[in-house]
Amino acid sequence: MKLSESTIDAVRRVSVLDIATALGDNPKRSGTSYQVYCPNPAHSERTPDTYIKPSRNIWRCFGGGGCGAKGADAITYYAWHQFGGWDPKTHFVDAVVGVANQMGITVINEETGKTKSSSSFPASSSSVKPRVQSPAAFEEITAQDADTCDRVYRKFLQLCPIYREHAEEWLGPKRQYSKEQVLGIGLRSVPHNLEELFKIINKLHDDGESLVRIPGFTQRLKKGGNPENEKDWYWTISVHKGYLIPVRDDLGRIVRLRVATGGKPKYIWFSSQPTVYLNDGAWTFYDSKLQKDRGTSLHHMSKGGAPSGAPINVVVPPALLKLWESGTDITDLCKMDTIVVTEGEHKSNISSERLKMPVIGVPGVGNWKDVVALVNSWQSKKLAIAYDMDALKSEQKIEGKNQQVFDHLVDFAKELLQHGIDVVLWTWNIQDGKGLDDILLLGKLPIEIDLKTRERRAVVVA
């Protein structure tokens, strides 16, 4: 396949940090860099010794053993992650397509002119190939369809508890949700007690629900169990603390769950990448590092799950959420002429309630491709970008701003303008808070900057 230049250019703009995050490598900040475990599946490390430097968009493994993994873009990082090396002659096309699938970039075949949409949901949940050394053993894992996930997640959330510590956060000054909002959004605590959890899982099974490939649910092998004996596998969930935040699509379906951990990182996805699969009758580890670390040990084997991907959160005000039946197109519920885009699930829920308008929450500033597709389908006329203010002003940064976030913001705005959508930037005094939700909870409104005319005006809420 010959890729179009537009596809390649779009993929080249993806940062190494974003693709590492999308691949589930969980980068940790270390000064001006980020640390991850080496993406090379043949390199087993006890500590994360691969460094990503966002300011230069480069990465390199400094771990022992002469690994040699390094690169200066997301394409090389993906190739090392999936193929265990980088050879531009053999890996380039597959790596570009792989990055595109992860980041929701449309792939255009220059020879045929055909396009393939690579939306990060649900495509990204199936695009990460198992990290094994033999390409013949690659096996794609797809999550269940959105309707099935929605049905299971709704039942699961109804059975989950609400712990006092979480209720105090939701109803307190930090979030200022009402009880009706908590119940309407579907906020719930992760069951801490195993007996309580297993009762919930058994109830789902009694209701005839299959948990196979529902992200966040997974089967684990009992200690000392025989993987050939199905009775030695038990269903559980991928997290054991924090609380759950539903993520909805434009049809009002709960397609994924976000987990507020109460620690670091603050938020993770309710996701369950399996560790083993059957290959010609033999149990095989997806990640060869696990195989090397654990040898022939089968303890902590898991199967039956699926990765979550990183979908955007489509939010309407609480009054409309009560009326939003699963499967109903949002355009049947409200006008989508003007949309606000901000970061994260809490920000989008709080902002929609305070502004009384639809809001989209992106799970990361680089995950805006799906937003463009949606607002085009809605024929929206105007979009307000309301990212955290450290994108524009940060005393901790030499550049005076968070350059990486700012670059994503610029690319996002350019793409929208090319589609004929009026784009405005919402700003405010960073002393009032970093996020849009912070100033709205103070009873204040942002200033709006028209990116075409540079005109500044106060935001008016109808």
Side-chain angles (χ1 to χ4, degrees):
M1 175 170 60
K2 184 179 180 181
L3 298 171
S4 70
E5 287 300 320
S6 62
T7 300
I8 296 171
D9 288 344
V11 168
R12 288 195 188 281
R13 290 197 296 270
V14 174
S15 73
V16 175
L17 184 59
D18 280 348
I19 194 63
T21 301
L23 289 169
D25 289 345
N26 197 20
K28 304 288 187 182
R29 182 183 288 276
S30 177
T32 59
S33 300
Y34 286 78
Q35 288 177 269
V36 294
Y37 285 94
C38 181
N40 180 1
H43 186 194
S44 177
E45 297 178 293
R46 294 185 179 275
T47 57
D49 292 320
T50 294
Y51 286 78
I52 299 170
K53 196 169 185 61
S55 62
R56 297 176 59 193
N57 202 37
I58 60 175
W59 65 277
R60 183 173 181 177
C61 172
F62 289 92
C67 169
K70 63 180 180 179
D73 55 22
I75 299 170
T76 52
Y77 188 96
Y78 184 93
W80 274 98
H81 193 285
Q82 301 303 101
F83 313 127
W86 168 242
D87 182 345
K89 293 182 179 179
T90 59
H91 295 146
F92 181 76
V93 171
D94 288 340
V96 169
V97 172
V99 174
N101 285 339
Q102 279 296 308
M103 306 308 295
I105 296 170
T106 299
V107 176
I108 302 175
N109 188 329
E110 190 74 10
E111 296 172 335
T112 65
K114 293 183 177 180
T115 64
K116 181 180 179 182
S117 176
S118 300
S119 167
S120 66
F121 175 75
S124 72
S125 63
S126 64
S127 61
V128 181
K129 293 179 179 179
R131 294 175 60 190
V132 293
Q133 293 183 7
S134 171
F138 283 175
E139 175 184 299
E140 293 189 352
I141 306 167
T142 58
Q144 289 284 3
D145 62 89
D147 289 325
T148 301
C149 289
D150 174 65
R151 187 181 66 249
V152 173
Y153 286 145
R154 287 179 185 272
K155 290 183 178 181
F156 174 59
L157 290 169
Q158 288 176 357
L159 295 169
C160 284
I162 294 178
Y163 295 144
R164 178 181 294 275
E165 61 184 293
H166 299 144
E168 289 176 348
E169 177 188 329
W170 303 333
L171 303 175
K174 184 177 182 179
R175 308 293 182 196
Q176 298 184 31
Y177 289 122
S178 66
K179 291 182 180 179
E180 291 74 17
Q181 282 179 270
V182 168
L183 297 176
I185 294 169
L187 299 174
R188 293 295 187 275
S189 302
V190 173
H192 293 174
N193 183 283
L194 287 180
E195 183 178 352
E196 182 180 29
L197 171 62
F198 292 144
K199 283 183 179 179
I200 293 172
I201 290 175
N202 288 337
K203 180 66 169 71
L204 291 173
H205 283 139
D206 290 344
D207 284 351
E209 296 295 350
S210 170
L211 302 181
V212 175
R213 292 189 292 110
I214 303 292
F217 293 93
T218 187
Q219 281 182 288
R220 297 198 187 280
L221 184 67
K222 294 179 180 178
K223 189 172 183 179
N226 178 6
E228 306 298 330
N229 185 356
E230 193 62 33
K231 292 183 178 180
D232 283 348
W233 293 93
Y234 66 94
W235 280 100
T236 185
I237 58 176
S238 60
V239 295
H240 301 290
K241 65 177 181 178
Y243 61 82
L244 303 161
I245 311 172
V247 174
R248 290 175 169 83
D249 68 2
D250 57 316
L251 298 180
R253 299 173 297 191
I254 299 176
V255 291
R256 295 294 183 265
L257 299 176
R258 189 78 147 160
V259 182
T261 66
K264 292 184 178 182
K266 290 183 179 180
Y267 297 96
I268 60 174
W269 288 101
F270 192 60
S271 183
S272 48
Q273 178 74 45
T275 61
V276 294
Y277 65 102
L278 273 174
N279 181 32
D280 293 332
W283 290 100
T284 306
F285 281 88
Y286 280 96
D287 189 330
S288 60
K289 291 197 296 184
L290 294 175
Q291 181 106 34
K292 184 176 179 180
D293 290 345
R294 297 174 181 175
T296 58
S297 172
L298 299 179
H299 188 37
H300 292 149
M301 285 174 65
S302 64
K303 66 172 185 173
S308 70
I312 60 177
N313 189 31
V314 181
V315 184
V316 295
L320 293 178
L321 184 58
K322 294 179 182 178
L323 307 175
W324 200 5
E325 295 183 1
S326 178
T328 302
D329 194 300
I330 193 173
T331 57
D332 294 336
L333 197 67
C334 58
K335 291 183 178 180
M336 304 300 288
D337 292 343
T338 302
I339 310 296
V340 176
V341 176
T342 188
E343 301 173 58
E345 291 75 30
H346 275 311
K347 285 186 178 69
S348 51
N349 282 314
I350 293 170
S351 299
S352 181
E353 188 274 331
R354 295 282 163 153
L355 296 168
K356 310 301 182 193
M357 62 188 299
V359 174
I360 293 177
V362 293
V365 293
N367 293 335
W368 47 263
K369 287 288 183 179
D370 286 350
V371 178
V372 177
L374 273 182
V375 296
N376 276 330
S377 70
W378 295 333
Q379 298 183 325
S380 302
K381 297 180 176 63
K382 176 180 175 181
L383 187 141
I385 302 177
Y387 284 174
D388 287 357
M389 278 302 296
D390 61 355
L392 303 176
K393 184 177 181 180
S394 177
E395 296 178 356
Q396 285 74 41
K397 303 289 183 179
I398 297 176
E399 302 90 342
K401 57 182 176 291
N402 187 324
Q403 190 65 47
Q404 182 194 9
V405 176
F406 182 78
D407 290 344
H408 280 304
L409 188 154
V410 170
D411 289 342
F412 184 19
K414 286 180 179 178
E415 185 80 10
L416 291 165
L417 290 169
Q418 288 176 2
H419 286 272
I421 299 169
D422 291 333
V423 185
V424 296
L425 184 64
W426 281 10
T427 69
W428 52 90
N429 188 341
I430 198 171
Q431 302 302 321
D432 289 332
K434 185 175 72 171
L436 177 61
D437 56 332
D438 295 323
I439 65 157
L440 294 177
L441 290 175
L442 291 175
K444 299 183 179 183
L445 290 172
I447 297 295
E448 181 173 287
I449 302 174
D450 190 311
L451 294 187
K452 283 184 179 179
T453 65
R454 304 298 178 182
E455 178 187 356
R456 299 172 66 92
R457 51 186 174 257
V459 170
V460 178
V461 178

